[in-house]
Amino acid sequence: MTSSWGDAHDGWPYDHAVTSDQPSDQRDHWVRTFAAKQDFLGSEPSETGRAALSAFLAASAREIVELGSGQGRDSLLFATAGLKVTALDYAETGLAQIREKAQSAGFGGSVTTVVADVREPLPLATAAVDGVYAHMLLCMALSTEQIVSLVAEVHRVLRPGGFFFYTVRNTSDAHFGAGSAHGDDQFEMGGFIVHFFGRELIERLADGFKILEVADFEEGRLPRRLSAVTMARI
Ligand SMILES: C[S@@+](CC[C@H](N)C(=O)[O-])C[C@H]1O[C@@H](n2cnc3c(N)ncnc32)[C@H](O)[C@@H]1O
């Protein structure tokens, strides 16, 4: 199914990306990009975030985690809707902007920021949250094995019945197969490495979950072609 979930005005990738001397150092690249440009991925919440919020509210979720929260366009949406949000990312520059925005909007008490690399076990308690949200995080520079381990960690931190809502760029994206190849369906352009997902990988990640929906959509000017996956923890 293809549906348009809106048209963010950002150009990611690449027209606002900071040129990096070390394109393989993805963390530094994000840190520098967020320091150089406020609202790199748009100042408004994403359509994906709005869809996830409806699902979280319908399920009476109260505490959620956003993995790869960037500069917080969706973390702030969740907080303003009354959810307690943990925003986790390895780019401290983006997290600092999230704290500032949350405080100036009067929601500082609803947002906790955590600096962490999702290639390591998540620094979160077991069965601690009602929902996990990750918009374009699993499709970053992560190997298939790292993605499988991360989703096992998501399963651990979710309460039974909790939702895991994630989006990934998929193999119908115009940039799949373009730029420098890094193996394992990862390609680099403009200093950013993207892992493009096919349906098989989405199915593989459903171990311990029930897939509720997989919906293809487009975002941004390229446009990026993505799949949004909603799963419930069993
Ligand atoms: C494409 S951006 C998406 C940001 C945000 N979800 C949004 O849509 O506005 C990817 C985010 O993932 C973060 N990220 C990438 N790899 C990561 C890793 N290994 N650990 C933690 N965060 C990571 C980046 O710093 C960046 O904030």
Side-chain angles (χ1 to χ4, degrees):
M1 180 178 78
T2 302
S3 63
S4 173
W5 286 21
D7 186 26
H9 61 268
D10 69 278
W12 181 77
Y14 316 103
D15 51 355
H16 296 116
V18 174
T19 304
S20 171
D21 297 334
Q22 296 178 294
S24 59
D25 190 342
Q26 294 292 290
R27 181 182 165 279
D28 284 358
H29 202 52
W30 281 110
V31 164
R32 292 166 60 184
T33 298
F34 290 152
K37 175 144 177 57
Q38 289 279 335
D39 302 324
F40 176 60
L41 285 160
S43 56
E44 294 298 314
S46 69
E47 289 303 312
T48 302
R50 292 187 200 281
L53 176 60
S54 299
F56 288 142
L57 293 178
S60 303
R62 299 175 60 168
E63 295 173 80
I64 64 145
V65 176
E66 179 173 4
L67 300 174
S69 49
Q71 292 163 299
R73 59 181 174 154
D74 292 330
S75 283
L76 292 160
L77 170 75
F78 301 142
T80 55
L83 299 176
K84 286 258 180 212
V85 183
T86 299
L88 183 150
D89 203 291
Y90 66 3
E92 166 58 32
T93 45
L95 294 175
Q97 292 164 7
I98 293 175
R99 285 194 298 275
E100 270 175 38
K101 289 180 206 168
Q103 285 195 348
S104 61
F107 294 101
S110 302
V111 180
T112 303
T113 58
V114 175
V115 189
D117 188 327
V118 298
R119 291 170 293 184
E120 304 295 331
L122 296 176
L124 302 169
T126 297
V129 294
D130 306 308
V132 176
Y133 174 78
H135 186 18
M136 295 188 289
L137 178 268
L138 270 59
C139 59
M140 294 289 95
L142 303 169
S143 69
T144 297
E145 292 315 313
Q146 287 168 337
I147 295 165
V148 168
S149 299
L150 170 57
V151 175
E153 278 292 282
V154 169
H155 188 274
R156 180 183 66 77
V157 304
L158 267 174
R159 297 186 179 120
F163 282 149
F164 179 28
F165 194 108
Y166 73 88
T167 71
V168 285
R169 290 179 72 184
N170 63 38
T171 50
S172 60
D173 191 285
H175 283 153
F176 174 58
S180 337
H182 285 256
D184 199 18
D185 287 340
Q186 295 180 66
F187 295 88
E188 177 176 339
M189 267 206 177
F192 290 109
I193 298 172
V194 174
H195 189 138
F196 292 89
F197 274 52
R199 184 71 194 220
E200 265 177 34
L201 182 50
I202 289 172
E203 299 286 349
R204 183 174 168 190
L205 297 178
D207 191 27
F209 292 90
K210 179 171 191 236
I211 293 182
L212 303 178
E213 185 178 29
V214 180
D216 292 343
F217 68 106
E218 297 180 352
E219 186 182 85
R221 282 195 312 229
L222 180 61
R224 298 183 288 274
R225 293 219 164 115
L226 299 113
S227 299
V229 182
T230 313
M231 307 199 290
R233 183 201 186 284
I234 296 167

